[in-house]
């Protein structure tokens, strides 16, 4: 048995992501063992972290490990029931639901229609989501679907894990939405495509540039990030991307690039939408950028 005692706070801060990735790498040697995650110290967890926990669960069970969660305090247990994560594990569902939750979900490579419906209804359809035109709605949906499509076509991953949570008591009422997959990293894909060995953060930066794509032939591509970046700029939101050892954070305040101690064998994308934003958004008629009409 392997016992992992989790820290007091688990959020989408860089240090917390680095801790969770270190745990994943620490457990890579384990096969056919019981892995116990002890929540006795945990006082706060962002629900969207469940997308990472789902990917960690996938990684561990692929090597025939079993997973237990112990000493989960009632408030956190209720949160993880309400967002549907614990219903996929050994603890039952909650009868309560919340407009501040985007349920945990796991999508296979052929689940594109279910994924599209999930983004339309559970994320963009939230009553708190910033008001926007139908054409922008379609384009944001296409951009997020492109993240799903890139993972299944190029990442060689089995599943894509998603989850989100809004924090109505914070000043910007942020909604964090995470998409996580295991498989080829952005660094691996971009380095191979460019024919040069670049760092993880450099590869992510390249992927953020409009028109850049590693897809070839008749496959469409290039819509995965650029419109989201434009929208986040005017929405005062945030995009965090982790892949391999690369960490890239983009906000209206600037860019943070870092390299992690140990790499994540896949990609984590965390989108932070400012739900306090009362503006109405549409597309400019001439270029694919976001215009704030108010």
């Amino acid at each position: 048995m392997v016992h992992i005692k989790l820290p007091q706070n688990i959020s989408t801060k860089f240090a917390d992501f680095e801790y969770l990735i270190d745990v994943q790498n620490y457990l890579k040697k384990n096969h056919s063992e019981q892995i116990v995650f002890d929540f006795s110290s945990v006082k706060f967890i962002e629900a969207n972290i469940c997308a990472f926990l789902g990917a960690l669960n996938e990684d561990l069970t692929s090597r025939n490990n079993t997973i237990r969660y112990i000493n989960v305090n009632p408030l956190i247990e209720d949160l993880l029931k309400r967002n549907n994560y614990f219903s996929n594990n050994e603890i039952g569902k909650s009868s309560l639901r919340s407009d501040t939750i985007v349920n945990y979900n796991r999508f296979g490579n052929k689940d594109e229609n279910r994924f599209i419906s999930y983004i339309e209804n559970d994320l963009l359809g939230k009553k708190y989501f910033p008001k926007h035109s139908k054409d922008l709605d379609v384009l944001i949906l296409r951009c997020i679907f492109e993240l799903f499509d890139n993972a299944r076509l190029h990442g060689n991953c089995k599943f894509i894990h998603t989850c989100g949570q809004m924090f109505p008591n914070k000043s910007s009422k942020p909604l964090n939405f995470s998409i996580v997959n295991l498989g080829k990293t952005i660094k691996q894909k971009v380095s191979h495509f460019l024919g040069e060995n670049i760092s993880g953060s450099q590869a992510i930066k390249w992927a953020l540039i409009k028109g850049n794509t590693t897809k070839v032939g008749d496959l469409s591509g290039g819509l995965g990030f650029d419109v989201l970046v434009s929208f986040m700029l005017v929405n005062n939101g945030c995009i965090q991307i982790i892949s391999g050892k690369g960490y890239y954070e983009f906000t209206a305040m600037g860019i943070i690039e870092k390299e992690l101690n140990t790499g994540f064998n896949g990609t984590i994308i965390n989108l932070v939408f400012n739900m306090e934003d009362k503006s109405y958004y549409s597309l400019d008629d001439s270029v694919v950028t976001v215009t704030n009409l108010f």
Side-chain angles (χ1 to χ4, degrees), residues 194-260:
L194 297 178
E196 57 179 299
N197 185 27
I198 62 177
S199 71
S201 58
Q202 287 175 323
I204 296 169
K205 185 176 182 178
W206 183 92
L208 284 168
I209 298 172
K210 181 180 177 181
N212 281 355
T213 176
T214 58
K215 293 182 178 181
V216 295
D218 295 330
L219 295 173
S220 63
L223 286 172
F225 288 119
D226 58 286
V227 171
L228 285 175
V229 167
S230 297
F231 181 79
M232 292 303 185
L233 266 175
V234 290
N235 174 245
N236 287 316
C238 173
I239 300 177
Q240 296 168 294
I241 304 170
I242 295 173
S243 192
K245 287 189 174 183
Y247 176 89
Y248 196 96
E249 181 177 314
F250 179 95
T251 70
M253 301 296 293
I255 292 170
I256 298 173
E257 295 180 59
K258 295 183 180 181
E259 294 287 313
L260 291 95

Side-chain angles (χ1 to χ4, degrees), residues 11 14 29 44 53 61 64 83 87 95 97 105 120 129 132 134 141 159 187 195 200 215 230 239 241 266 282 289-290:
S11 71
F14 174 82
K29 65 182 182 297
F44 172 80
L53 295 180
T61 55
N64 297 315
N83 78 356
S87 70
S95 60
R97 286 294 175 263
N105 233 307
E120 283 182 321
F129 201 88
H132 56 282
K134 182 61 179 177
L141 176 61
F159 296 107
K187 170 184 164 58
K215 293 182 178 181
S230 297
I239 300 177
I241 304 170
S282 70
T289 56
V290 180

Side-chain angles (χ1 to χ4, degrees), residues 50-115:
C50 289
F52 178 90
L53 295 180
L56 178 58
N57 191 317
E58 176 194 346
D59 187 34
L60 292 171
T61 55
S62 71
R63 298 191 298 277
N64 297 315
N65 295 297
T66 58
I67 298 171
R68 288 184 61 211
Y69 301 94
I70 64 171
N71 300 322
V72 186
N73 80 50
L75 289 176
I76 290 176
E77 180 178 330
D78 180 68
L79 171 69
L80 301 185
K81 284 181 178 179
R82 282 189 289 122
N83 78 356
N84 209 40
Y85 181 71
F86 270 166
S87 70
N88 289 271
N89 295 285
E90 73 220 39
I91 303 177
K93 289 185 178 181
S94 170
S95 60
L96 300 174
R97 286 294 175 263
S98 172
D99 287 334
T100 63
I101 294 290
V102 181
N103 279 349
Y104 168 77
N105 233 307
R106 187 179 77 170
F107 299 91
N109 289 335
K110 296 182 179 180
D111 286 340
E112 61 265 32
N113 290 332
R114 188 165 67 88
F115 181 82

Side-chain angles (χ1 to χ4, degrees), residues 107-113 116 145-160 181-182 189 215:
F107 299 91
N109 289 335
K110 296 182 179 180
D111 286 340
E112 61 265 32
N113 290 332
I116 289 170
F145 177 77
E146 187 74 13
L147 304 179
F148 169 87
D149 209 30
N150 278 329
R152 65 175 183 159
L153 290 177
H154 287 287
N156 294 336
C157 63
K158 189 174 181 180
F159 296 107
I160 293 95
N181 73 83
L182 302 174
K189 291 181 284 185
K215 293 182 178 181

Side-chain angles (χ1 to χ4, degrees), residues 14-27:
F14 174 82
D16 292 348
F17 270 132
E18 189 163 51
Y19 167 81
L20 291 170
I21 291 167
D22 285 347
V23 167
Q24 186 207 24
N25 281 287
Y26 172 76
L27 295 172

